[in-house]
Amino acid sequence: TLKDADPQGLVDGFVVRSERNSTTEYIASLDFAFRPDAIRNLLRRENIPFVEEQAPEVVLVAAVREGGKLARTGSISSAWLDIWRDLDLKNALTPLKLAEIKPFVHDDTLNMLITGDDSANRVLASEYGGENVIVAIAEVDRPAGRVHVTLAGRDAQGPFNLKRSYRIFGGDVGYAMELAAVISMGIVEGRWKAVKAERYGGV
């Protein structure tokens, strides 16, 4: 638990990244900039370990499968890509560079990734010009009321393959996909933190 801290001394400023409103609500995404030295001093004073070394950039490809097949177009594909675009990927502890699906990436490539076949990582490295490429594969399963997301490829810590499912509440597929993207980004960041925090005795 943090002791009382005046946030005014920690914040350097903010900008409105996106905003929208209706007759009943206003929604905005704000980017806050913090004073690095003030944050470091606060965390050190409270004996809270922290990781601030940024990972090497990783290419992230947002893909959608429908009926077990890669969907290159359609509302779900567009929504999944837009959701990732709305996240602050560049300034994250594990920065991600969003890339579209290249023509050479086919159903076979995704199937190899999902099953953990390392040859798919070599295909992605060749196509995207670097060894660190992750594919975030989303599949909307309406009968089960779930969005299934597979993260597969290679990040700054090495190869990995993880599948998680997210409940669709009230039929709101968009919200489930947003939640999935935010948690997926947190998973990549968590992998980096777990290794870098070893200097503090682990997490």
Side-chain angles (χ1 to χ4, degrees):
T1 303
L2 281 172
K3 296 175 183 175
D4 290 341
D6 181 9
Q8 287 291 98
L10 305 176
V11 178
D12 200 32
F14 73 93
V15 294
V16 178
R17 183 152 45 93
S18 65
E19 58 184 343
R20 61 183 187 273
N21 56 17
S22 68
T23 56
T24 58
E25 63 183 5
Y26 170 80
I27 300 172
S29 293
L30 308 178
D31 280 348
F32 284 86
F34 293 90
R35 296 177 181 169
D37 288 337
I39 296 291
R40 290 186 192 104
N41 292 337
L42 173 66
L43 296 175
R44 288 177 182 137
R45 188 187 76 212
E46 300 294 329
N47 293 315
I48 298 172
F50 60 93
V51 175
E52 63 176 335
E53 180 185 345
Q54 203 173 35
E57 186 178 70
V58 173
V59 173
L60 182 127
V61 180
V64 168
R65 292 209 317 171
E66 294 179 346
K69 300 290 185 182
L70 174 62
R72 295 184 183 273
T73 59
S75 59
I76 298 295
S77 293
S78 297
W80 187 230
L81 195 58
D82 287 343
I83 286 166
W84 282 101
R85 280 196 188 107
D86 280 345
L87 298 179
D88 187 8
L89 304 178
K90 182 180 179 182
N91 295 308
L93 191 62
T94 49
L96 300 171
K97 179 182 177 181
L98 189 60
E100 296 193 5
I101 302 168
K102 293 196 174 183
F104 195 82
V105 177
H106 298 292
D107 289 322
D108 289 345
T109 315
L110 297 190
N111 290 334
M112 287 190 296
L113 278 170
I114 289 171
T115 58
D117 187 339
D118 192 55
S119 60
N121 290 333
R122 293 192 291 273
V123 171
L124 293 174
S126 173
E127 282 299 299
Y128 290 94
E131 64 176 16
N132 293 339
V133 183
I134 296 173
V135 182
I137 307 164
E139 299 180 76
V140 178
D141 186 348
R142 294 183 188 275
R146 295 280 194 279
V147 173
H148 307 297
V149 174
T150 302
L151 293 176
R154 180 186 292 272
D155 66 358
Q157 294 304 329
F160 80 111
N161 186 307
L162 177 70
K163 182 174 180 178
R164 290 191 63 170
S165 295
Y166 302 85
R167 188 187 301 274
I168 300 172
F169 292 99
D172 192 342
V173 175
Y175 176 79
M177 292 175 73
E178 285 181 31
L179 178 64
V182 170
I183 293 177
S184 295
M185 190 172 170
I187 289 169
V188 175
E189 186 175 84
R191 283 167 53 82
W192 177 255
K193 284 181 180 178
V195 172
K196 291 301 173 183
E198 287 178 1
R199 73 182 69 170
Y200 304 111
V203 291

